[in-house]
Amino acid sequence: MSTSSALTVLVVGATGATGRHVVSQLLQKNHNVRAIVRSKDRLLSSLGHILGKDLDNDSSQLQITEAAILDLSDDDLQKQVEGCDAVVQTLGHNMTFKGMYGKPRKLVTDSFRRLTNAIEATKSSRPTDGKNMRVILMGSDGVTHPDGTTDDKRPLSERVVLSIIRALVPPHRDNEAAAKYIYKDIGTDKSFEWTVVRPTDLIDAEKISKYVTHEKPVGGLFGDNTVSRINVASFFVDLLTSDDLWQTWVYKFPVVHNAEEKVASSK
């Protein structure tokens, strides 16, 4: 079963390398998008490049709020999620020294916590049609499933590398904390449903191609598999528009690869 009516989706991190593809693909499928970004001009420029046309700054299909999500008040954030069918967070740290080691250290976790709190605070205003809001968080296949049992144990060499990364790279700790928060603190008894998508090594591509999904990481930590950002965005949109696909991955941590990749064994 697929969703035929237009959705309203809030995208946080819309100017990022993956987020801009999420927005463009939703617009191409005639869905409505709300985006919270630091730079409206940067988003419109990126979308114009992807879509091959200039977008109307006042488009009724695209509503842009120019702000840092952590600077929005609780009331403002609740207004952003009101009336939405889904929320997608592709927000990440800039891979600069300031982005990785400056504040906010817990950008991903704190933003996601505020979003989910806003969703819960507005649950009484949502339709009582038995269909919960869908929430997608973008993670990484370097982040282990918080249940400690779903993922296979990585080789010693990879566990050592991850320990070093965890100690030296705050964004990795932030992604781990966000995964732990959604799994252990949110759980499955809220007014929304969620999934955490874990892409493998990200690359750029011009066109959507076939992708494959797995319940857990497969292959080595580095270099065995890749996935294009445009394919990750395609998986997000498919999750939002296909009830069957959503039911397959709800409350799970799917890993996504390009289909043409050869999945190498990590053992």
Side-chain angles (χ1 to χ4, degrees), residues 121-137:
T122 57
K123 63 183 178 182
S124 62
S125 66
R126 293 199 291 275
T128 56
D129 57 3
K131 197 168 186 178
N132 291 329
M133 182 184 288
R134 296 179 181 180
V135 178
I136 301 176
L137 173 65

Side-chain angles (χ1 to χ4, degrees), residues 18-256:
T18 302
R20 67 188 69 173
H21 286 295
V22 176
V23 174
S24 67
Q25 290 178 37
L26 287 168
L27 293 176
Q28 286 174 315
K29 293 179 181 293
N30 296 315
H31 297 294
N32 302 307
V33 177
R34 298 177 185 175
I36 301 174
V37 297
R38 288 180 178 271
S39 171
K40 179 186 294 187
D41 290 342
R42 181 182 172 193
L43 175 59
L44 291 174
S45 176
S46 296
L47 293 176
H49 176 74
I50 295 171
L51 297 173
K53 63 179 181 180
D54 291 334
L55 292 181
D56 185 350
N57 193 39
D58 297 319
S59 169
S60 60
Q61 198 181 346
L62 175 62
Q63 299 177 27
I64 304 173
T65 297
E66 198 169 40
I69 184 172
L70 294 180
D71 290 340
L72 291 174
S73 69
D74 290 344
D75 286 343
D76 286 339
L77 203 51
Q78 288 171 24
K79 290 177 183 177
Q80 290 290 328
V81 302
E82 278 185 328
C84 285
D85 300 289
V87 173
V88 175
Q89 179 173 311
T90 61
L91 192 66
H93 296 258
N94 291 326
M95 290 297 101
T96 62
F97 185 86
K98 182 179 180 181
M100 290 192 294
Y101 297 102
K103 294 181 179 181
R105 287 288 186 92
K106 295 182 178 180
L107 173 66
V108 176
T109 305
D110 289 347
S111 298
F112 196 68
R113 180 180 287 108
R114 292 204 62 207
L115 278 170
T116 53
N117 286 343
I119 293 170
E120 280 294 283
T122 57
K123 63 183 178 182
S124 62
S125 66
R126 293 199 291 275
T128 56
D129 57 3
K131 197 168 186 178
N132 291 329
M133 182 184 288
R134 296 179 181 180
V135 178
I136 301 176
L137 173 65
M138 181 172 171
S140 163
D141 73 342
V143 174
T144 303
H145 194 301
D147 70 357
T149 59
T150 296
D151 293 357
D152 294 332
K153 188 175 183 179
R154 290 192 179 274
L156 177 60
S157 59
E158 293 187 1
R159 299 201 304 272
V160 170
V161 170
L162 284 172
S163 295
I164 294 172
I165 293 174
R166 186 177 299 112
L168 298 180
V169 184
H172 183 74
R173 294 199 300 272
D174 188 16
N175 286 329
E176 289 183 324
K180 183 178 179 181
Y181 167 73
I182 196 170
Y183 183 75
K184 295 188 175 181
D185 294 346
I186 293 179
T188 61
D189 61 349
K190 300 295 184 182
S191 64
F192 59 91
E193 298 175 341
W194 57 263
T195 186
V196 180
V197 175
R198 296 185 287 172
T200 188
D201 295 351
L202 289 162
I203 60 173
D204 290 319
E206 292 294 324
K207 296 181 179 180
I208 297 172
S209 60
K210 292 183 179 180
Y211 62 80
V212 293
T213 52
H214 303 275
E215 185 179 19
K216 56 189 175 183
V218 291
L221 182 60
F222 302 107
D224 278 346
N225 302 289
T226 60
V227 64
S228 65
R229 293 175 173 88
I230 198 170
N231 278 354
V232 175
S234 180
F235 180 40
F236 285 5
V237 175
D238 289 345
L239 281 167
L240 297 180
T241 57
S242 169
D243 292 341
D244 291 340
L245 186 64
W246 181 259
Q247 290 306 315
T248 298
W249 295 115
V250 65
Y251 303 133
K252 295 181 181 179
F253 289 70
V255 176
V256 58

